[in-house]
Amino acid sequence: MTLQQKQKGKWIQLPASVPMAHDGCYSLGNKLGLKGKNDLCIVSGTVSSQEFNLTVR
């Protein structure tokens, strides 16, 4: 599983990845450098989560 961030209209893979546990759970951390609203999603193979937003202050 990897974390992607939308930058200037394109999805960019961030240096954060983690394997999924046998029960389907995962924990992923990253320090975002862009302040303000960040559009993110989680990707595993060809499947991605819905886009979600995180605000960095």
Side-chain angles (χ1 to χ4, degrees):
M1 308 203 84
T2 60
L3 180 63
Q4 291 189 353
Q5 180 181 42
K6 192 182 281 185
Q7 296 179 8
K8 298 180 182 177
K10 293 185 180 181
W11 287 103
I12 305 298
Q13 185 171 320
L14 298 177
S17 64
V18 66
M20 186 181 303
H22 63 85
D23 62 359
C25 294
Y26 62 92
S27 177
L28 182 70
N30 191 292
K31 192 171 191 176
L32 298 173
L34 296 175
K35 290 191 175 190
K37 180 182 165 193
N38 287 268
D39 298 323
L40 304 166
C41 73
I42 303 292
V43 177
S44 179
T46 59
V47 178
S48 65
S49 71
Q50 290 185 335
E51 183 177 320
F52 58 95
N53 308 94
L54 179 72
T55 301
V56 177
R57 296 175 192 242

